[in-house]
Amino acid sequence: MDSRVSELFGGCCRPVGGGNGGGLRGRGGSGSGGGSSKGKKKNGRHRGGKANNPPYLPPEAEDGNIEYKLKLVNPSQYRFEHLVTQMKWRLQEGRGEAVYQIGVEDNGLLVGLSEEEMRASLKTLRRMAEKVGADITVLREREVDYDSDIPRKITEVLVRKVPDNQQFLDLRVAVLGNVDSGKSTLLGVLTQGELDNGRGRARLNLFRHLHEIQSGRTSSISFEILGFNSKGEVVNYSDSRTAEEICESSSKMITFIDLAGHHKYLKTTIFGLTSYCPDFAMLVVSANTGIAGTTREHLGLAMALKVPFFIVISKVDLCSKATVERTVKQLERILKQPGCNKLPLLVTSDDDAVTAAQQFAQSPNITPIFTLSSVSGENLDLVKVFLNILPPLTNSKEQEDLMQQLTEFQVDEIYTVPEVGTVVGGTLSSGICREGENLVVGPTDDGKFLQLKVCSIQRNRSACRVLRAGQAATLALGHFDRSLLRKGMVMVSPEMNPTICSVFEAEIVLLFHATTFRNGFQVTVHVGNVRQTAIVEKIQGKDKLRTGEKAVVRFRFIKHPEYLKIGAKLLFREGVTKGIGHVTHIQAITIGENGLEEGLSSVLVSF
């Protein structure tokens, strides 16, 4: 499938150069003052180094969470207050995380500091962090070539806020891969803190159904959490911690979405990718089988939905070194093909893991590759280092903009909990949701929205008063009739006046079809948390479509209307037929006296 997405993705990625300083690329900020490069260029800082060792990083940027500082030695009180204010800005940009490069000028020149200057600078940085309620962790140090007899080095420091009222940084990682590649076992080892015994003991706590335990195969979507505290230490279920204790102790939370690998459960896997809005995907490949089964398909899905992914090659304890190298080369060959156009980055050390985490979030075509064993524990720590440093894809401003909008919560799961009542799980797409808030949920089969009240909220299995845009949670609805709810509904603010439709148009690319794609063809359409069969009513300007062709297609849902938004990503499938696109036009429905009526006015958008 990777070769067939070249038309859509061939021009969206370009390789990035390597070079020294790899992971020290900066998004950071300006205004270094004291330790700044301003006014220092005349001192000969630009003499550079050897031709094969360029001493520059990219220049410091205004926004982002990475800050360059030449040195922080004994600042005045006024200067110190300015530095603290600057740190608050960086932490806000990184949603609670910032990276400081000590010994680097604003223009990216790697100057380096002596041992004494570096010690004094780190002492000042620690004072600054204490002032804003954060901890610092030295990620790595490296010496630089400079015109001096004294050894000089630069230090990369992670600054992370201590958690406050459940406002930890939360990243969602979808776990993909072929059946029996070791996905659930790897998650069990990471979240439980104990190595596997080679027979699947580590995965038992992740399974939700008896048949999953008996077969050893995941058929449903499950969630597991891995925390990191403000000092970068792992917080998991070891030492008999509960989920609530993990949340309380963590400054950063990784929520793993464990998806099914078997082709029989492909629709569940697609629903997990489209509905739960993962920030990243982890593709697990077994070293002894290589790229087999649904691996290519899952890789294609992640690319089609533009979810950044990294690769973990598991079970290296079962194979010879040559077999592992062959699997790595096989993956590198596929990733470099025109359909993928990715730049593989094999991670073999802590320094590589730091580099990979920073470049991965900044460059969409970087693909880190890890080789590990869940039985021997080989290279497991590299994955933990990577996840600890991995920054969020959105900054604080984008999240603030989402929070200013009206409330919209996607319903992904529905439960009945004894003594609690009806509970729905999902993701808050926009706005803020509070306990006791009145919302409307729909659309029902007849296109209506029903009033309800949010009784309580739980996030990562612990109580939460306020839910913010982009966060996943479960909402208790009290005695609301569960039979009126279904997956794919939305809970929105009553002021929103949501638009629903049965007929919509989308600009699509047909990724694969055995023959020709014509009017009347039925496909299962995935748009966010919506999953329903739709019929192709019209292909504009053409009678039929073949593999790789683009067109604007009109679909009609065959069962009930849905809530769709212009520009939403769309994925459809039927057997081996697959296609992707985005919604360009919806035909709004109004509720008349005789039930549903197609709206005369349509909502249009041009891309």
Side-chain angles (χ1 to χ4, degrees):
M1 181 170 161
D2 52 290
S3 61
R4 298 189 178 100
V5 294
S6 57
E7 183 179 357
L8 186 67
F9 298 104
C12 71
C13 302
R14 63 183 186 278
V16 295
N20 276 336
L24 297 172
R25 299 182 60 189
R27 288 183 297 165
S30 64
S32 294
S36 158
S37 66
K38 297 173 180 60
K40 296 190 186 264
K41 294 181 183 178
K42 61 185 179 183
N43 293 338
R45 300 294 190 200
H46 288 286
R47 284 195 294 269
K50 301 171 185 174
N52 61 349
N53 185 23
Y56 282 92
L57 299 179
E60 193 179 59
E62 287 293 332
D63 51 9
N65 71 333
I66 298 182
E67 176 72 29
Y68 294 174
K69 282 282 177 267
L70 181 56
K71 55 184 172 182
L72 300 167
V73 180
N74 297 327
S76 66
Q77 185 60 35
Y78 174 79
R79 173 71 190 135
F80 181 77
E81 294 298 332
H82 173 73
L83 290 170
V84 168
T85 303
Q86 195 178 58
M87 180 176 280
K88 287 179 181 175
W89 162 251
R90 290 293 169 216
L91 288 170
Q92 184 183 350
E93 281 288 282
R95 291 166 58 185
E97 285 185 353
V99 174
Y100 272 66
Q101 310 278 7
I102 309 296
V104 182
E105 291 193 355
D106 280 359
N107 61 358
L109 180 66
L110 305 182
V111 176
L113 298 180
S114 66
E115 190 75 36
E116 188 178 341
E117 288 176 325
M118 184 60 73
R119 194 162 44 241
S121 296
L122 290 177
K123 183 179 178 181
T124 303
L125 191 65
R126 193 170 284 107
R127 283 175 53 212
M128 291 159 53
E130 288 173 0
K131 188 86 172 177
V132 299
D135 282 328
I136 70 170
T137 308
V138 175
L139 295 178
R140 56 182 173 176
E141 297 178 338
R142 63 171 59 179
E143 291 190 1
V144 293
D145 294 332
Y146 197 65
D147 301 339
S148 173
D149 296 333
I150 305 170
R152 306 179 76 88
K153 60 184 179 181
I154 57 174
T155 302
E156 189 170 355
V157 183
L158 176 68
V159 183
R160 180 176 287 162
K161 287 206 73 171
V162 177
D164 178 31
N165 191 27
Q166 270 227 340
Q167 294 314 308
F168 46 75
L169 176 60
D170 192 5
L171 299 181
R172 289 190 290 273
V173 178
V175 185
L176 301 169
N178 189 37
V179 64
D180 299 331
S181 60
K183 299 184 297 298
S184 299
T185 299
L186 174 59
L187 294 193
V189 170
L190 287 172
T191 59
Q192 305 296 326
E194 290 184 5
L195 294 175
D196 188 48
N197 63 350
R199 295 187 295 276
R201 180 180 64 189
R203 69 189 178 193
L204 292 179
N205 290 325
L206 277 67
F207 289 147
R208 299 173 63 183
H209 304 289
L210 178 61
H211 70 86
E212 291 181 329
I213 296 173
Q214 292 169 340
S215 68
R217 292 179 175 176
T218 303
S219 65
S220 59
I221 300 171
S222 63
F223 298 86
E224 293 300 322
I225 55 175
L226 173 68
F228 294 94
N229 63 19
S230 56
K231 296 177 181 177
E233 299 165 341
V234 171
V235 183
N236 55 24
Y237 287 108
S238 59
D239 302 326
S240 301
R241 288 191 183 96
T242 63
E244 191 168 355
E245 288 171 342
I246 293 174
C247 293
E248 288 173 356
S249 305
S250 300
S251 295
K252 180 177 188 175
M253 190 77 70
I254 307 292
T255 302
F256 291 107
I257 307 168
D258 190 16
L259 302 174
H262 200 284
H263 194 275
K264 182 166 64 173
Y265 308 117
L266 181 62
K267 70 174 185 178
T268 303
T269 301
I270 295 175
F271 182 78
L273 279 172
T274 57
S275 180
Y276 292 105
C277 308
D279 299 294
F280 305 99
M282 177 169 71
L283 182 67
V284 182
V285 179
S286 176
N288 55 349
T289 58
I291 299 174
T294 55
T295 304
R296 284 176 182 267
E297 199 156 6
H298 287 184
L299 175 63
L301 287 172
M303 291 190 60
L305 296 170
K306 298 185 180 177
V307 179
F309 63 91
F310 59 98
I311 296 175
V312 171
I313 299 175
S314 63
K315 303 185 182 181
V316 298
D317 57 297
L318 294 179
C319 309
S320 65
K321 192 174 179 181
T323 304
V324 176
E325 288 176 356
R326 188 171 67 245
T327 303
V328 170
K329 287 178 181 176
Q330 187 184 17
L331 279 165
E332 288 177 341
R333 190 166 58 250
I334 285 181
L335 291 172
K336 290 176 181 177
Q337 285 179 355
C340 292
N341 201 20
K342 300 288 185 181
L343 186 64
L345 179 60
L346 186 62
V347 178
T348 57
S349 66
D350 285 354
D351 194 64
D352 289 345
V354 175
T355 299
Q358 294 178 344
Q359 290 199 352
F360 181 53
Q362 296 166 18
S363 305
N365 55 334
I366 293 286
T367 304
I369 300 176
F370 299 84
T371 58
L372 57 79
S373 167
S374 298
V375 175
S376 67
E378 180 184 346
N379 290 341
L380 264 177
D381 286 342
L382 298 184
V383 176
K384 293 175 184 175
V385 169
F386 176 79
L387 294 172
N388 176 38
I389 301 166
L390 194 60
L393 291 176
T394 57
N395 60 30
S396 56
K397 186 178 185 305
E398 291 171 347
Q399 193 186 28
E400 286 290 334
D401 292 343
L402 281 175
M403 287 165 57
Q404 298 302 319
Q405 300 174 19
L406 292 173
T407 302
E408 181 184 321
F409 182 87
Q410 294 184 352
V411 177
D412 300 330
E413 298 280 352
I414 305 165
Y415 316 95
T416 300
V417 180
E419 300 181 11
V420 175
T422 302
V423 174
V424 294
T427 306
L428 189 66
S429 304
S430 61
I432 293 177
C433 183
R434 296 180 174 85
E435 275 188 9
E437 190 165 350
N438 292 310
L439 301 173
V440 294
V441 63
T444 60
D445 288 353
D446 55 2
K448 294 179 180 177
F449 280 76
L450 309 173
Q451 292 187 347
L452 53 76
K453 182 179 180 180
V454 178
C455 300
S456 63
I457 303 173
Q458 280 209 345
R459 184 173 169 226
N460 283 323
R461 304 170 197 174
S462 55
C464 177
R465 298 281 183 187
V466 180
L467 191 63
R468 291 171 171 79
Q471 296 177 346
T474 52
L475 312 182
L477 307 181
H479 299 294
F480 191 86
D481 187 356
R482 175 179 173 168
S483 64
L484 297 174
L485 298 172
R486 60 176 172 80
K487 291 181 182 180
M489 282 185 164
V490 288
M491 293 165 51
V492 297
S493 172
E495 299 91 55
M496 183 178 282
N497 190 23
T499 304
I500 61 171
C501 69
S502 286
V503 178
F504 67 96
E505 290 182 1
E507 185 177 320
I508 67 160
V509 177
L510 188 62
L511 297 179
F512 181 75
H513 188 60
T515 54
T516 53
F517 188 76
R518 299 173 179 269
N519 292 347
F521 196 75
Q522 289 190 5
V523 293
T524 303
V525 173
H526 296 261
V527 185
N529 65 332
V530 171
R531 179 177 65 191
Q532 192 183 152
T533 302
I535 190 167
V536 176
E537 283 201 334
K538 183 180 179 182
I539 302 173
Q540 291 189 10
K542 298 182 180 180
D543 295 329
K544 57 191 177 185
L545 281 181
R546 295 184 182 276
T547 297
E549 293 184 342
K550 288 184 179 182
V552 175
V553 176
R554 187 167 71 212
F555 295 93
R556 178 185 289 273
F557 289 123
I558 66 171
K559 193 172 182 184
H560 42 67
E562 299 282 9
Y563 171 76
L564 296 183
K565 293 168 79 172
I566 298 295
K569 293 177 188 173
L570 172 144
L571 190 148
F572 62 88
R573 61 178 179 82
E574 177 55 45
V576 295
T577 301
K578 292 178 183 66
I580 56 174
H582 59 266
V583 178
T584 58
H585 167 232
I586 60 175
Q587 194 166 318
I589 289 179
T590 56
I591 310 298
E593 292 182 6
N594 300 322
L596 295 179
E597 297 177 359
E598 296 289 347
L600 295 176
S601 62
S602 297
V603 183
L604 287 163
V605 69
S606 59
F607 281 81

